[in-house]
Amino acid sequence: MPPGPSGLRITRALARRFDGRSETSLDPDLRVFVSDLVRPYGLPLREDLLREGVGHSYEELAAGLLREALAEDEPVDLLVLAFDTPDVRPGAPSSLALSRSVPGEPLAFAICDQGTAAAFTALRLAADHHRTGGCRRAVVVLAEQTALHYRPSEPVALPERHAAVVLVCEEEAGAGLAVRQVTGAGSPEDAVRARAGELGARAEVLHDGGFGIGEPAQPFTGLWARLAEHLPRWRREERPALLAGYDRRLGVLSTVALP
């Protein structure tokens, strides 16, 4: 009898907040990078942050969590780093550096410039990659650091503390995680209620700060830190769940269903 269908599921999640700073926040290349980034838009640099060396590199935030999350005999096929606030180490791709902190030789890349939707995009791409047959274990790294080294043209939400979340996604029997991302969905609250209804009465729902609830102190990682708290119970009870994020600036509604 042929094996049944399988899908990619989030099996483990670790979250941590950090204080301090990285030495790379004083690297002269950071000033060059930020200057080139903002020059076309005429935005001023935050000279105080550049002078003091404020900020944390995503490689340093996440490397320890990755080593804690994975055993040496658990090779990773795909690693995706997702973030909103720019990294403070522009000279080297942090996603490639982090791939050296996990077993195996994973394909590694980063996703940014999508606001809070980037985390959902990372999971969607991991699920798509699994369907090609070339990915039995994927790791999604979500990170945010507190320093924006230029003055934005409009107010943006910055985290209170540096933070990182590691999501380990593995092939399991049955349906896998399902990500939906839409723009112009009318009422995002109604759309989330309808999506949750598809999962049944036992489903639990977590919203991010885009709905006016959740954890605005950590706008990018807060939702996923709460997932790390709930996931062991959900898996133990075999309870379906829905995570919903709404980036009001971009008008993107994202949901991920965990069967």
Side-chain angles (χ1 to χ4, degrees), residues 45-160:
L45 299 179
R46 285 291 304 271
E47 296 289 351
D48 54 338
L49 301 185
L50 291 166
R51 183 172 56 253
E52 295 167 13
V54 178
H56 221 303
S57 81
Y58 291 147
E59 178 189 356
E60 292 180 24
L61 290 180
L65 276 182
L66 286 169
R67 288 190 286 268
E68 184 178 334
L70 293 156
E72 292 184 2
D73 61 349
E74 294 180 310
V76 174
D77 302 303
L78 174 70
L79 185 145
V80 186
L81 168 65
F83 58 91
D84 186 18
T85 310
D87 201 348
V88 298
R89 190 185 180 192
S94 291
S95 56
L96 298 182
L98 286 171
S99 70
R100 296 192 288 270
S101 296
V102 301
E105 298 180 353
L107 171 68
F109 58 88
I111 297 172
C112 60
D113 297 327
Q114 294 191 10
T116 57
F120 294 88
T121 301
L123 287 171
R124 177 169 56 82
L125 293 177
D128 288 346
H129 193 48
H130 169 264
R131 283 189 282 271
T132 69
C135 179
R136 298 188 62 184
R137 181 177 291 110
V139 174
V140 172
V141 179
L142 312 173
E144 60 184 341
Q145 57 93 18
T146 62
L148 190 63
H149 292 83
Y150 61 90
R151 297 190 184 279
S153 58
E154 59 186 49
V156 296
L158 291 173
E160 290 184 356

Side-chain angles (χ1 to χ4, degrees), residues 28-43 45 90 150:
D29 285 343
L30 179 60
R31 173 184 292 277
V32 175
F33 171 78
V34 178
S35 297
D36 290 345
L37 183 71
V38 302
R39 186 175 297 110
Y41 309 101
L43 300 177
L45 299 179
Y150 61 90

Side-chain angles (χ1 to χ4, degrees), residues 82 114 116-125 142 179-181 206 208 220 223-224 243-246 253-256:
Q114 294 191 10
T116 57
F120 294 88
T121 301
L123 287 171
R124 177 169 56 82
L125 293 177
L142 312 173
V179 182
R180 295 181 184 176
Q181 294 182 284
L206 295 180
D208 78 352
F220 190 77
L223 172 67
W224 308 98
L243 278 69
Y246 184 50
L253 171 65
S254 302
T255 60
V256 56

